[in-house]
């Protein structure tokens, strides 16, 4: 056999096995794109892995819910979006949109592995913005970072891995510095229930349920927003306070009393709805804003979104949740509407207890009722989901699947509007909101979503 013929055969065999190897690549192998090609070629695994961990950790973060959690999601999702935006040709950075957001894209190397960059970014922002993670859980961040570095680092050389990780950390640090320029938020995060605040006294005004209670985030209405101008996001005034049994106000309070007790006494579907959407209890479940992140996480899996699509969805959702918290808390402390349990115990039944009370040591959240924060978060998120996927959906929310401490069995929904409406309604049989609180929260949330969806990315 001639040497020419021998080397030709060697070449054919080598080529065959090379093609076979490429054809047999798994999704993870295909996800290892280690240059500046567009990230719409990548799956969303790195985002989903971190989202799953963040949801797990946020459950145990004390003193954050719901306001600080909503804010954390906005900044974390902004950082991850900005880390990869140069590989998203149809999208632009928020650098010029927000004063004091200073990201120098000239610092980015030409050959970036975006999975590695995002992994470094997520690790940094998770550790910073989830500031009350218990010490025994902090190692989970480093463990995931290391595992994903191994998963995604196989096709990159040492220099590229270092440059990619450094880029993600650099962007994370710039977003962290930007967050610090919101001095109102920075002050309030350190004192979420300030002793200096005393609620104004007035007929029908919210006040403490017990002497030990303090107002939660009473000044949050002055925190930075991303999409809305608070001066242009108005609310509708609540029903006037009244103890007259035929008044609309009293009738709404009576509805809470009847639905709360019927759910408790008959263990009906309303109790399932109430506990399924509660998300009020630290250490037991994640917060109301995190619930919407959980829904987005499931939708990304169900709809098979790529990395670019996932980053954009999480960015918009983070903005919506942050702005919903700011707007609702601004109006809550303007209207000072009381919680149902105080009114009901005074004017209907002195022995009344909310269905929330079974899960916590306190009868209801420590802030005024109107408008409902749960409802506003639900509608703000639903508006983003509708813009992304359309309203009609075949979706089962499995956020609490397998939980036995409360009724967390998955519930099915045919539209995002119906899902948001049920979330809002859940606060009535839980015993902590009147119908007017929930209706206004929904209306306000959809207004916020409109502003978020109008941002030109």
């Amino acid at each position: 056999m001639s040497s020419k013929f021998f080397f030709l055969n060697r070449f054919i065999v080598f080529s065959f096995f090379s093609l076979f190897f490429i054809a047999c690549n798994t999704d993870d192998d295909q996800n290892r794109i280690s240059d500046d090609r567009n990230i719409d070629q990548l799956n969303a695994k790195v985002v989903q892995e971190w989202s799953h961990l963040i949801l797990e950790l946020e459950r145990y973060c004390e003193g954050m819910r719901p306001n600080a959690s909503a804010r954390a999601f906005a900044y974390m999702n902004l950082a991850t979006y900005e880390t990869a935006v140069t590989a998203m040709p149809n999208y632009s950075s928020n650098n010029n949109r927000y004063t004091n957001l200073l990201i120098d894209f000239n610092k980015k190397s030409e050959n970036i592995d975006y999975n590695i960059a995002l992994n470094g970014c997520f690790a940094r922002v998770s550790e910073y913005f989830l500031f009350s993670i218990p010490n025994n859980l902090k190692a989970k961040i480093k463990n995931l970072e290391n595992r994903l570095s191994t998963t995604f680092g196989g096709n990159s050389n040492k220099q590229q891995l270092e440059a990619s990780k450094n880029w993600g950390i650099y962007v994370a640090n710039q977003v962290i510095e930007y967050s610090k320029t919101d001095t109102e938020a920075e002050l309030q995060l350190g004192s979420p229930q300030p002793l200096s605040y005393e609620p104004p006294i007035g007929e029908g005004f919210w006040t403490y349920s017990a002497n030990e209670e303090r107002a939660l985030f009473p000044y949050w209405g002055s925190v930075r927003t991303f999409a809305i101008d608070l001066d242009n996001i108005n609310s509708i005034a609540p029903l006037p306070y009244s103890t007259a049994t035929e008044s609309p106000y009293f009738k709404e309070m009576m509805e809470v009393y009847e639905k709360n007790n019927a759910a408790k006494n008959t263990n009906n579907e309303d109790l399932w709805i109430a506990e399924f959407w509660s998300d009020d209890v630290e250490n037991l479940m994640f917060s109301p804003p995190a619930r919407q992140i959980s829904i987005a996480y499931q939708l990304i899996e169900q709809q098979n979104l790529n990395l670019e699509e996932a980053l954009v969805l999480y960015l918009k959702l983070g903005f919506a949740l942050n702005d919903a918290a700011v707007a609702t808390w601004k109006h809550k402390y303007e209207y000072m509407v009381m919680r149902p349990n105080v009114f009901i115990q005074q004017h209907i039944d002195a022995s009344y207890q909310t269905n929330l009370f079974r899960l916590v040591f306190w009868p209801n959240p420590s802030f005024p009722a109107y408008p409902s924060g749960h409802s506003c978060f639900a509608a703000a998120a639903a508006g983003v989901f509708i813009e992304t996927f359309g309203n009609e959906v075949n979706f089962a929310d499995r956020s609490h699947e397998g939980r036995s401490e409360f009724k967390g069995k998955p519930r099915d929904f045919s539209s995002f509007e119906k899902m948001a409406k049920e979330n809002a309604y859940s606060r009535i049989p839980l015993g902590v909101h009147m119908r007017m609180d929930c209706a206004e929260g929904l209306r306000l949330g959809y207004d916020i979503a409109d502003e978020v969806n109008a941002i030109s990315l």
Side-chain angles (χ1 to χ4, degrees):
M1 181 184 295
S2 70
S3 60
K4 179 178 180 182
F5 183 76
F6 173 78
F7 285 114
L8 178 62
N9 274 285
R10 289 284 300 272
F11 175 76
I12 292 170
V13 171
F14 176 78
S15 298
F16 171 78
F17 279 104
S18 296
L19 290 171
F20 179 79
F21 175 77
I22 292 170
C24 293
N25 269 351
T26 63
D27 286 344
D28 285 348
D29 293 329
Q30 291 169 357
N31 210 38
R32 292 172 181 167
I33 295 178
S34 57
D35 57 26
D36 277 351
R37 280 178 278 172
N38 301 342
I39 64 166
D40 60 4
Q41 301 173 58
L42 302 180
N43 67 46
K45 178 174 181 176
V46 64
V47 173
Q48 293 295 78
E49 289 264 10
W50 277 103
S51 297
H52 185 270
L53 178 61
I54 288 166
L55 288 169
E56 176 188 346
L57 296 176
E58 197 266 358
R59 168 181 167 184
Y60 299 99
C61 290
E62 296 188 357
M64 290 189 64
R65 68 183 56 201
N67 308 51
S69 289
R71 180 178 186 266
F73 289 123
Y75 284 101
M76 288 190 291
N77 295 346
L78 173 61
T80 54
Y81 174 91
E82 295 295 331
T83 296
V85 72
T86 55
M88 300 160 62
N90 294 322
Y91 294 90
S92 59
S93 169
N94 291 280
N95 236 10
N96 295 326
R97 178 171 292 113
Y98 302 120
T99 305
N100 297 321
L101 177 60
L102 305 173
I103 301 171
D104 183 357
F105 289 96
N106 292 319
K107 291 181 178 292
K108 185 182 73 68
S109 299
E110 291 184 1
N111 193 23
I112 290 291
D113 184 318
Y114 284 97
N115 286 309
I116 297 297
L118 286 165
N119 189 41
C121 179
F122 266 117
R124 178 72 179 105
V125 295
S126 300
E127 187 176 54
Y128 181 83
F129 287 107
L130 299 180
F131 55 82
S132 61
I133 299 173
N135 289 331
N136 64 316
L137 297 178
K138 288 181 178 179
K140 287 179 175 285
I141 292 176
K142 179 56 68 175
N143 291 342
L144 179 59
E145 182 185 17
N146 290 341
R147 178 167 67 80
L148 292 182
S149 292
T150 300
T151 299
F152 294 123
N155 283 7
S156 302
N157 59 45
K158 183 178 180 180
Q159 183 178 4
Q160 185 189 25
L161 287 173
E162 185 175 351
S164 299
K165 180 179 179 179
N166 288 344
W167 172 246
I169 293 173
Y170 164 74
V171 175
N173 285 333
Q174 294 307 107
V175 171
I176 288 170
E177 291 305 309
Y178 172 57
S179 75
K180 292 177 181 178
T181 63
D182 184 5
T183 53
E184 281 291 342
E186 293 293 308
L187 287 170
Q188 295 178 54
L189 291 175
S191 182
Q193 292 180 287
L195 297 176
S196 60
Y197 179 83
E198 285 295 334
I201 298 173
E203 189 177 50
F205 277 17
W206 174 83
T207 189
Y208 308 131
S209 300
N211 290 334
E212 298 82 7
E213 187 178 6
R214 306 302 304 177
L216 184 65
F217 291 117
Y219 308 114
W220 201 256
S222 58
V223 166
R224 173 189 289 152
T225 58
F226 288 90
I228 66 172
D229 179 347
L230 279 174
D231 293 334
N232 296 328
I233 296 290
N234 299 314
S235 63
I236 299 171
L239 293 171
Y241 173 81
S242 175
T243 59
T245 57
E246 295 304 312
S247 68
Y249 188 95
F250 191 97
K251 288 179 179 179
E252 289 210 0
M253 284 293 190
M254 182 60 72
E255 179 188 29
V256 177
Y257 174 69
E258 292 173 347
K259 286 187 176 294
N260 178 91
N261 288 355
K264 181 187 302 180
N265 295 332
T266 65
N267 193 18
N268 61 12
E269 186 182 20
D270 271 0
L271 186 62
W272 178 15
I273 291 172
E275 294 191 0
F276 178 82
W277 288 109
S278 172
D279 300 327
D280 285 292
V281 189
E282 289 176 347
N283 299 311
L284 182 64
M285 52 189 73
F286 40 55
S287 69
R291 177 55 164 271
Q292 302 306 323
I293 298 293
S294 173
I295 291 170
Y297 172 92
Q298 296 170 75
L299 289 167
I300 289 168
E301 295 288 327
Q302 177 182 307
Q303 303 295 327
N304 195 29
L305 299 193
N306 62 38
L307 180 56
E308 177 182 88
E309 293 166 332
L311 289 172
V312 172
L313 175 61
Y314 277 132
L315 175 74
K316 293 170 67 177
L317 183 57
F319 286 176
L321 295 172
N322 176 87
D323 289 10
V326 177
T328 50
W329 258 250
K330 175 179 182 290
H331 296 307
K332 280 176 181 293
Y333 284 96
E334 287 176 351
Y335 290 118
M336 297 300 296
V337 172
M338 70 182 348
R339 291 282 174 172
N341 76 302
V342 176
F343 182 92
I344 291 170
Q345 288 175 356
Q346 290 178 352
H347 302 289
I348 299 175
D349 181 354
S351 66
Y352 173 80
Q353 284 292 358
T354 70
N355 282 320
L356 178 63
F357 189 67
R358 182 183 73 80
L359 302 174
V360 296
F361 63 89
W362 218 256
N364 44 238
S366 299
F367 41 84
Y370 184 92
S372 159
H374 263 71
S375 307
C376 192
F377 291 131
V384 171
F385 296 147
I386 291 168
E387 178 76 8
T388 305
F389 304 105
N391 186 36
E392 303 302 315
V393 65
N394 180 19
F395 177 69
D397 183 2
R398 303 183 181 278
S399 291
H400 297 312
E401 189 170 27
R403 301 298 297 275
S404 58
E405 310 94 319
F406 57 94
K407 293 181 177 294
K409 179 183 175 183
R411 292 186 62 80
D412 297 315
F413 302 97
S414 60
S415 76
F416 292 114
E417 285 184 356
K418 289 179 180 178
M419 183 164 61
K421 187 175 181 180
E422 180 179 284
N423 187 341
Y425 169 76
S426 73
R427 308 303 283 169
I428 299 172
L430 194 67
V432 298
H433 275 293
M434 288 191 288
R435 186 170 291 272
M436 69 172 185
D437 306 338
C438 305
E440 177 59 10
L442 284 174
R443 191 201 63 78
L444 184 62
Y446 281 119
D447 279 357
I448 291 167
D450 287 344
E451 296 299 310
V452 172
N453 289 329
I455 293 176
S456 176
L457 294 174

